[in-house]
Amino acid sequence: MVGTASSTAVPSLTIGDYGTLDITASSCKSSESSPVFSTSSFQVSQHGSIVVNTDSAVQLGDINVMNGTLTIENNRSNVFMGDGERLNGNGTLNLVNSTFGSQTDGVNIANSMHITLTGDSSVYTGFLATGVSVSFDAKSSEQFFLNGQDTTVDTSFSNVSGKTEFGITANTGETPLSASYVKNSDNSYSLVVQESDNHTLTLSNVSMASGYTPGTLQITQDKSGNYLISDASANKGNSDNHCGHWDHNGHSGRGGHSGWNAHDGSSTHNNHGGGTACGGQSGNWGWGFGGCGGSDLASSIQKIISAMNGAFSSCNGWQPSNCGGGSSSSWFGGSSSFGKSGSAWGSSTVSSHAGSHDCFSSTTPSTSHSQPPVYHNTSHWGC
């Protein structure tokens, strides 16, 4: 086990049958030029293993013979290889909540290596030799990046799900224009990607996870310019595409006019709780510290909200609420003091938001996608 950082590179490392090297050293100053562990090359026998379980930099050398198991855990793009960048053999590469390779330095996988990805892992490959196999974790989001200049790749990809994303790195000079799955005679699929300059990339051996049938594919770009191919019809959850969630704490919706996320629901705001809300009513009460009223603190926060409203341009159009005895006030208007019954931000128990989630605009909400009931019990901004 390597538990402390060392600046001395191991010239050549051999792990014999049933031998294991655990690399757990950690250093906040580690980098590719100053890794916590370094070797120029390694060889792992059939039942041997190397386990990298650190988020610090680890240098694994050039052309490595991998007949055992290499496991990389909890490391994001901080395990490096040398100029050869090649794993060669019939062993297994396990990625657990890790990223291996990069946009500019893809790892070449040779012979009959097997790759497993679990826990939201990603791998960037240079080339894949015939006989290589890859399996995904259908319960988490995995990314597998390819060289866009390849033509037909016969690597076996198994357990592909709606959360699986195939990628093409931006520096290969190819731009994917469209992608689709074509069913093969043996019930596997071929992923056919039409690229710029009449180039076609085909993954000819793709098997789906149990219960998953692929739908329409979409092509997007990540923040580094890499292209991602994903299933547009798969349920990706409710995070990135929702505007301005902020601890609704039991808000059941108001036909798309809540001023937050346009959650379709009942016609009144009757789940804010507390039993009394603004003048003794249980519905249609104001958002904010003062319930139907406000306070100096609420007025200050109103100014902050107003500034944020301008910053989050796609989430503007805050809505007033009718409160109390028929009076109308904006979120933080009114004259009641902070702390009255039913006036706290989250005075009720959390209940589900049934209906459709859509980004709110100042006119009408869209109905972009349907969601099962979602529980909101955290506070966060986002668009």
Side-chain angles (χ1 to χ4, degrees):
M1 174 179 288
V2 177
T4 57
S6 174
S7 59
T8 302
V10 177
S12 180
L13 174 66
T14 300
I15 306 296
D17 285 347
Y18 302 101
T20 298
L21 172 65
D22 286 327
I23 302 173
T24 60
S26 180
S27 171
C28 60
K29 296 181 180 180
S30 69
S31 64
E32 184 175 7
S33 60
S34 181
V36 296
F37 178 84
S38 177
T39 182
S40 57
S41 65
F42 67 80
Q43 179 174 341
V44 180
S45 299
Q46 183 176 1
H47 299 291
S49 63
I50 296 177
V51 179
V52 177
N53 190 3
T54 175
D55 60 1
S56 298
V58 173
Q59 173 61 253
L60 290 182
D62 277 332
I63 301 175
N64 303 295
V65 179
M66 189 71 237
N67 292 320
T69 302
L70 170 62
T71 301
I72 301 174
E73 301 179 1
N74 306 311
N75 189 296
R76 293 294 180 185
S77 300
N78 230 2
V79 175
F80 304 97
M81 298 187 70
D83 294 336
E85 293 180 304
R86 184 169 180 171
L87 288 178
N88 180 38
N90 58 10
T92 300
L93 168 64
N94 297 317
L95 298 180
V96 183
N97 189 35
S98 297
T99 301
F100 191 31
S102 68
Q103 176 178 325
T104 55
D105 294 306
V107 180
N108 299 317
I109 311 294
N111 287 9
S112 55
M113 287 285 298
H114 179 66
I115 304 172
T116 67
L117 295 90
T118 60
D120 300 330
S121 292
S122 302
V123 61
Y124 294 79
T125 60
F127 70 78
L128 295 170
T130 298
V132 173
S133 58
V134 180
S135 63
F136 298 95
D137 178 6
K139 296 180 180 180
S140 59
S141 300
E142 318 294 347
Q143 295 180 333
F144 194 96
F145 287 91
L146 301 141
N147 186 336
Q149 295 181 346
D150 286 337
T151 52
T152 299
V153 177
D154 63 0
T155 294
S156 171
F157 295 95
S158 62
N159 213 33
V160 172
S161 73
K163 296 184 177 182
T164 305
E165 293 181 313
F166 288 101
I168 295 175
T169 50
N171 63 324
T172 60
E174 295 291 345
T175 301
L177 304 177
S178 65
S180 61
Y181 279 115
V182 177
K183 197 166 187 177
N184 301 324
S185 59
D186 61 355
N187 290 323
S188 66
Y189 288 81
S190 290
L191 174 59
V192 181
V193 184
Q194 301 294 336
E195 299 178 318
S196 54
D197 60 36
N198 294 319
H199 185 268
T200 302
L201 168 63
T202 300
L203 306 185
S204 62
N205 189 1
V206 180
S207 297
M208 304 302 169
S210 177
Y212 170 64
T213 300
T216 301
L217 299 182
Q218 64 181 0
I219 299 173
T220 57
Q221 284 184 279
D222 63 18
K223 63 182 180 181
S224 299
N226 301 310
Y227 298 95
L228 294 173
I229 300 168
S230 60
D231 190 336
S233 61
N235 182 1
K236 298 294 185 180
N238 67 328
S239 55
D240 294 340
N241 294 325
H242 300 301
C243 288
H245 292 303
W246 195 354
D247 200 359
H248 302 22
N249 280 339
H251 177 215
S252 64
R254 184 174 166 80
H257 296 288
S258 67
W260 290 97
N261 265 349
H263 294 258
D264 272 346
S266 67
S267 60
T268 59
H269 302 185
N270 56 11
N271 283 337
H272 289 286
T276 57
C278 300
Q281 291 194 134
S282 63
N284 286 349
W285 64 303
W287 294 89
F289 280 100
C292 203
S295 65
D296 290 341
L297 177 59
S299 298
S300 299
I301 292 183
Q302 182 185 19
K303 295 178 182 179
I304 297 173
I305 296 293
S306 178
M308 286 184 170
N309 188 27
F312 292 88
S313 59
S314 65
C315 293
N316 56 15
W318 308 110
Q319 297 295 303
S321 301
N322 294 327
C323 304
S327 63
S328 177
S329 66
S330 59
W331 288 12
F332 300 97
S335 59
S336 65
S337 60
F338 173 64
K340 292 181 68 176
S341 176
S343 64
W345 280 76
S347 59
S348 68
T349 58
V350 179
S351 67
S352 63
H353 293 249
S356 300
H357 291 232
D358 12 321
C359 289
F360 182 82
S361 68
S362 59
T363 54
T364 59
S366 66
T367 55
S368 56
H369 55 287
S370 295
Q371 287 284 115
V374 177
Y375 289 87
H376 294 278
N377 56 7
T378 57
S379 300
H380 59 284
W381 286 95
C383 287

